């Protein structure tokens, strides 16, 4: 059975796509058969690893508009062995409009993922709290919330936690006690001391629910987007590669604990 | 005015979220527990773990932790002196939910195991 993870924050530009691509790539490099689901009509996860929009006929738009359409029908391989993507195009935005009239519209993705033959499914969500995001929340086992060090990100986080609580039908205690989510600090810049201090103080109650590794601001991560490669291929010695390796290790630890599996750290070498 | 001073009183949505308040409360309880663990002063220990405080609503998790300590000690007594072991004392059952800190339970178990080892060494 797949472990389904939603990379989610309704605020734009927090690093959702970068996290989706590099976490999924690291998992695939560790030998795990992994699927990225692009739920953002901008389609950046799709093109992020070099899958061109004219190279596939069907995408997530069809999954959302054709009843009982399986995600397996739209999956395409990436250049990384064991890593696949369910692609998206701008048509997904129109498809999302259409599903508002469907019954059980929140469960379309969960239904489409049934029987998917992947160890990990990583969903890149759009920067909104609409029907696509609700679908990912409904389908997922775990949520990663990339969060920039900014005041507006904290406000966004508050809205998001309220939405998670509602969609997952969790009480406050349950939301925290169960292992449902982790906050991932992104684009962290040590030089912004005053802002960092304020934001980290605000996040203090959530320290147990925050990945210990922040993703430092790193130009190589931007350059890897242009090269349409994972950071491990583009610049394996960059701080971005090391940060995402650490995040993968922390993530796998959570997964291993959940499934009562023996603890095994990923190999940095296999991330190239 | 200093930049940081201008942050005073500025509240974020996150700070006002009920979950954040619950977590802050919890962190306060955990801090009190940590203080208790590290404190050598008997006076403060008595204050924090007095039975009177277990009746206070705010001390719910603390009371549960207190009762957990007593339970662990009862188990230890039964392990060390099975001949004098009595039936479980139902009065010691925690009436409130335990604090969600697995580290607390682990620390208690480790303490019990430590005492068992000590008893074994002294008996040899």
């Amino acid at each position: 059975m797949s472990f389904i993870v939603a990379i989610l924050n309704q605020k734009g530009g927090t690093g959702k796509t970068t996290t989706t691509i590099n976490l999924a790539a690291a998992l695939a490099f560790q030998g795990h058969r992994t699927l990225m689901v692009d739920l953002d009509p901008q389609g950046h996860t799709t093109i992020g690893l070099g899958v061109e929009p004219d190279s596939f006929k069907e995408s997530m738009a069809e999954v959302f508009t054709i009843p009982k359409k399986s995600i397996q029908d739209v999956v395409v391989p990436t250049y990384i062995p064991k890593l696949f993507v369910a692609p998206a195009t701008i048509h997904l935005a129109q498809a999302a409009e259409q599903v508002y009239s469907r019954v059980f519209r929140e469960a379309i993705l969960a239904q489409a993922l049934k029987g998917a033959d992947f160890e990990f499914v990583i969903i890149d969500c759009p920067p909104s709290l609409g029907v696509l995001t609700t679908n990912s929340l409904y389908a997922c086992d775990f949520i990663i919330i990339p969060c920039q060090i900014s005041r507006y990100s904290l406000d966004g986080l508050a809205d998001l936690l309220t939405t998670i609580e509602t969609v997952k039908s969790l009480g406050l205690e349950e939301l925290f006690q169960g292992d449902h989510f982790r906050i991932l600090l992104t684009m962290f810049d040590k030089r912004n001391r005053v802002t960092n201090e304020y934001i980290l103080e605000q996040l203090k109650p959530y320290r147990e629910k925050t990945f210990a590794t922040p993703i430092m601001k790193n130009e190589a991560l931007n350059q890897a987007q242009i090269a349409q490669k994972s950071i491990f291929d583009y610049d394996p010695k960059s701080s971005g590669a090391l940060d995402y390796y650490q995040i993968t290790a922390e993530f796998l630890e959570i997964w291993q604990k959940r499934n009562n599996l023996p603890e095994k750290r990923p190999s940095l070498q296999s991330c190239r | 005015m200093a930049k940081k001073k201008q942050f005073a009183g500025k509240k974020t949505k996150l700070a006002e979220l009920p979950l954040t308040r619950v977590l802050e409360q919890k962190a306060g309880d955990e801090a009190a527990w940590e203080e208790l663990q590290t404190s050598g002063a008997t006076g403060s220990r008595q204050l924090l773990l007095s039975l009177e405080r277990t009746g206070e609503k705010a001390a719910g998790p603390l009371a549960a932790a207190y009762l957990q300590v007593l339970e662990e000690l009862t188990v230890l007594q039964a392990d060390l002196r099975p001949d004098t072991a009595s039936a479980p004392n139902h009065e010691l059952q925690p009436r409130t939910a335990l604090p969600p800190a697995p580290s607390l339970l682990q620390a208690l178990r480790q303490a019990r195991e430590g005492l068992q080892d000590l008893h074994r060494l002294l008996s040899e």
Side-chain angles (χ1 to χ4, degrees):
Chain A
M1 208 165 126
S2 306
F3 188 61
I4 304 172
V5 183
I7 312 288
L8 175 59
N9 193 335
Q10 81 279 14
K11 191 177 178 303
T14 59
K16 289 184 288 292
T17 302
T18 305
T19 300
T20 301
I21 290 173
N22 292 308
L23 174 63
L27 291 169
F29 283 135
Q30 299 303 316
H32 300 288
R33 199 174 143 81
T34 303
L35 171 68
M36 300 183 292
V37 176
D38 196 351
L39 273 197
D40 187 346
Q42 295 175 96
H44 289 156
T45 294
T46 304
I47 60 169
L49 291 180
V51 173
E52 294 302 332
D54 56 5
S55 67
F56 51 88
K57 282 182 183 162
E58 291 186 310
S59 66
M60 288 308 295
E62 279 69 35
V63 171
F64 274 89
T65 47
I66 302 171
K68 295 188 179 172
K69 181 88 175 163
S70 168
I71 208 152
Q72 296 277 19
D73 299 341
V74 304
V75 164
V76 289
T78 70
Y79 77 88
I80 297 173
K82 297 198 175 189
L83 181 58
F84 301 81
V85 63
T89 63
I90 196 67
H91 300 304
L92 181 57
Q94 293 155 330
E97 292 290 322
Q98 289 175 32
V99 300
Y100 275 103
S101 57
R102 272 176 63 181
V103 286
F104 300 122
R105 57 182 174 270
E106 296 85 7
I108 296 170
L109 181 62
Q111 187 66 39
L113 280 168
K114 266 188 187 164
D117 181 23
F118 299 95
E119 277 178 274
F120 294 102
V121 175
I122 315 288
I123 308 169
D124 183 19
C125 296
S128 68
L129 287 177
V131 72
L132 295 173
T133 300
T134 317
N135 262 272
S136 74
L137 273 177
Y138 196 86
C140 75
D141 302 304
F142 193 74
I143 301 156
I144 294 177
I145 310 169
C147 189
Q148 260 180 300
I149 299 286
S150 79
R151 155 75 202 252
Y152 299 147
S153 289
L154 292 187
D155 287 349
L157 182 60
D159 291 336
L160 185 54
L161 289 172
T162 309
T163 307
I164 294 170
E165 202 188 315
T166 311
V167 176
K168 291 295 218 187
S169 305
L170 297 169
L172 282 179
E173 293 276 315
E174 220 179 331
L175 179 61
F176 189 77
Q177 284 176 12
D179 215 355
H180 298 292
F181 72 94
R182 285 288 183 286
I183 297 163
L184 170 63
L185 297 176
T186 56
M187 296 171 230
F188 193 86
D189 190 338
K190 276 184 185 164
R191 292 169 300 178
N192 303 338
R193 200 175 49 82
V194 175
T195 312
N196 292 347
E197 262 178 35
Y198 176 79
I199 301 293
L200 292 179
E201 182 61 31
Q202 296 284 313
L203 282 172
K204 216 170 169 184
Y206 294 86
R207 63 188 182 282
E208 278 179 37
K209 295 291 176 192
T210 305
F211 279 111
T213 312
I215 305 295
M216 309 300 276
K217 202 172 178 133
N218 180 221
E219 189 49 26
L221 287 167
N222 291 333
Q223 293 164 2
Q225 289 176 4
I226 302 169
Q228 293 180 294
K229 287 180 175 173
S230 84
I231 190 65
F232 306 107
D233 290 307
Y234 179 73
D235 188 353
K237 288 182 180 163
S238 63
S239 75
L242 292 174
D243 289 345
Y244 272 108
Y245 163 75
Q246 291 290 354
I247 290 300
T248 307
E250 285 189 53
F251 170 77
L252 283 172
E253 204 182 315
I254 295 165
W255 173 68
Q256 284 154 356
K257 263 188 196 158
R258 266 209 178 188
N259 294 286
N260 295 319
L261 296 168
E263 203 174 305
K264 189 184 161 199
R265 268 188 82 79
S267 147
L268 186 56
Q269 295 303 318
S270 55
C271 284
R272 296 182 181 176
Chain B
M1 195 191 286
K3 282 180 188 167
K4 259 172 106 173
K5 280 189 180 167
Q6 296 178 55
F7 296 169
K10 302 288 180 195
K11 285 193 175 172
T12 61
K13 255 189 196 177
L14 187 69
E16 288 169 0
L17 200 68
L19 177 63
T20 309
R21 288 183 187 161
V22 169
L23 295 177
E24 276 170 349
Q25 167 72 37
K26 223 167 252 177
D29 289 341
E30 277 171 22
W33 174 248
E34 276 166 25
E35 189 189 323
L36 169 81
Q37 280 185 315
T38 53
S39 166
T42 318
S44 66
R45 190 169 298 179
Q46 281 171 345
L47 178 72
L48 282 164
L49 282 186
S50 67
L51 276 169
E52 286 79 7
R53 285 215 58 187
T54 62
E56 292 172 26
K57 200 183 170 190
L62 197 61
Y66 176 47
L67 293 167
Q68 184 70 40
V69 171
L70 294 181
E71 271 199 333
E72 291 287 337
L73 288 173
T74 310
V75 173
L76 176 66
Q77 189 186 32
D79 285 348
L80 298 182
R81 301 176 65 191
D83 50 322
T84 57
S86 56
N89 186 347
H90 293 292
E91 283 178 18
L92 294 182
Q93 293 303 312
R95 272 158 272 168
T96 51
L98 274 173
S103 55
L104 170 68
L105 294 174
Q106 199 188 349
L108 285 169
R109 281 192 195 113
Q110 277 173 352
R112 175 154 60 86
E113 283 163 15
L115 285 169
Q116 278 170 329
D117 289 345
L118 182 65
H119 179 263
R120 186 174 45 77
L121 286 169
L122 291 172
S123 310
E124 278 172 1

